[in-house]
Amino acid sequence: MRLLMLGGTGFVGGAVVTEAVRRGWHVTVFNRGRHGSTPAGVPRLRGDRLAPGGLAALAGGTWDLAVDTWDGAPRAVRDAARALAGSVRHYAYVSSCSVYAAPVPSAVGEDAPVVVGGAGAGDGDYPANKAGGETAALEVFGDRALLARAGLILGPGEDIGRLPWWLQRIARGGPVLAPGPAELPIQYVDVRDLAGWLLDRGADGRGGAYNLVGRAGAATMGKLLDACVAATGSAAELRWTDPARLLAAGVEPWNDLPIWIPTGHEYRWMQEVDVSRAYAAGLACRPLAETVGDTWRWLRRVGTVPPRAGRPARVAVGLAAEREAALIG
């Protein structure tokens, strides 16, 4: 198989490239060449897809599959798809469950309404960008476009820092503010399982939209934090705290305490997504302990969460130590 990876040095793109190389595929990476590196022997075409003539390096190539993780202006997806319409057999676009239009019901499926996103639009908010990217891929490739609506993505290489924050905090030891209840289900996908599924379904020509995340309830906040304690070998003491108390104190789910979204929160649906279509199409997810352990080993090797490839830095996640201590009391 011949893979063209648009991007390829960030979190998801890097995992796709690594997995494709492991499979013995012929991989080509296209990006601006300003961030990261590629495995030895992988050709790197350079170009800025937002600049006039920025896709010129793609001319003359032919590939079986293109994978695109772009989350900026949708017109960049449209232009790339148009440039590749005659030279790529199948186009996989990594989208997001964030495309669903509010109010989003629990157990939302792929046929639910999505936000408006134009294929030729400039940079907007994240849901509109991803919805516009989907529209662009479909306009050019039709049923040859695979839309992977990812949920929470964890694993080695994470450039947001959600799981790394918990690992680093727990590794420091002492009392740790643990957002309850411990049995609260969480829903995520390991980036390597996402990458493998993309390549499998891209290779067999699968099209359409899929919610790409593990089963709801396969893990809980308690199991996640226990796995962090085990991976780090820490003597940390998890202090489970009632969610009502945390919310009353102004703690922001997802950002102040990463991954956690309590029952009743407006974004709780993000961890209750219907994934039956993806599992029917071969999605398989590795154990939580493997994701956590491998992320800790990677984090110890690199030292810090890497910057996001090609995008502005996000606001840092996680509570400051002083605020956490005050909340523990």
Side-chain angles (χ1 to χ4, degrees):
M1 287 288 292
R2 296 162 299 169
L3 171 69
L4 172 65
M5 183 68 227
L6 301 171
T9 58
F11 181 31
V12 175
V16 172
V17 169
T18 297
E19 175 60 17
V21 169
R22 187 193 69 80
R23 295 181 179 200
W25 288 20
H26 298 284
V27 181
T28 302
V29 168
F30 171 83
N31 55 45
R32 293 177 298 176
R34 300 176 185 173
H35 178 96
S37 60
T38 55
V42 172
R44 187 171 185 171
L45 305 178
R46 301 201 177 200
D48 184 345
R49 57 198 296 180
L50 292 175
L55 297 168
L58 298 175
T62 57
W63 297 275
D64 299 300
L65 171 66
V67 175
D68 190 353
T69 61
W70 184 262
D71 64 358
R75 64 180 177 85
V77 179
R78 177 203 61 189
D79 293 347
R82 286 177 176 176
L84 294 168
S87 56
V88 166
R89 180 171 58 85
H90 202 67
Y91 199 94
Y93 179 64
V94 181
S95 185
S96 168
C97 288
S98 296
V99 299
Y100 291 115
V104 184
S106 177
V108 62
E110 292 86 349
D111 296 327
V114 300
V115 300
V116 176
D123 200 359
D125 64 25
Y126 184 74
N129 283 347
K130 284 299 191 182
E134 288 191 4
T135 301
L138 290 170
E139 282 186 359
V140 178
F141 281 89
D143 60 8
R144 294 186 294 139
L146 176 65
L147 309 177
R149 292 176 178 164
L152 171 64
I153 309 172
L154 302 177
E158 187 197 333
D159 55 7
I160 302 299
R162 296 186 179 103
L163 179 53
W165 184 84
W166 279 115
L167 285 162
Q168 291 173 324
R169 171 61 195 93
I170 286 173
R172 292 201 306 270
V176 175
L177 183 64
E183 64 271 17
L184 181 72
I186 62 173
Q187 192 175 26
Y188 73 96
V189 65
D190 188 296
V191 68
R192 296 164 293 182
D193 298 329
L194 168 60
W197 187 90
L198 277 170
L199 296 179
D200 287 341
R201 301 293 74 81
D204 64 23
R206 187 72 60 116
Y210 293 81
N211 291 334
L212 236 294
V213 66
R215 295 190 192 279
T220 63
M221 282 301 301
K223 290 178 180 177
L224 173 72
L225 299 193
D226 284 346
C228 289
V229 171
T232 59
S234 171
E237 177 191 354
L238 300 178
R239 297 280 186 87
W240 290 101
T241 306
D242 186 274
R245 178 172 174 264
L246 296 175
L247 295 173
V251 173
E252 186 177 351
W254 192 253
N255 291 324
D256 287 342
L257 291 172
I259 301 173
W260 176 67
I261 306 178
T263 300
H265 191 274
E266 64 177 314
Y267 294 124
R268 178 60 200 166
W269 66 267
M270 293 173 62
Q271 295 188 342
E272 298 175 344
V273 173
D274 179 15
V275 293
S276 56
R277 185 178 292 182
Y279 272 85
L283 177 63
C285 293
R286 69 194 64 208
L288 174 66
E290 184 176 339
T291 297
V292 173
D294 289 350
T295 301
W296 176 240
R297 284 183 282 274
W298 160 78
L299 189 60
R300 292 188 70 189
R301 186 175 72 253
V302 301
T304 187
V305 175
R308 296 182 65 217
R311 297 292 286 164
R314 289 179 183 257
V315 175
V317 299
L319 287 173
E322 298 80 6
R323 190 177 178 205
E324 182 197 6
L327 286 165
I328 292 174

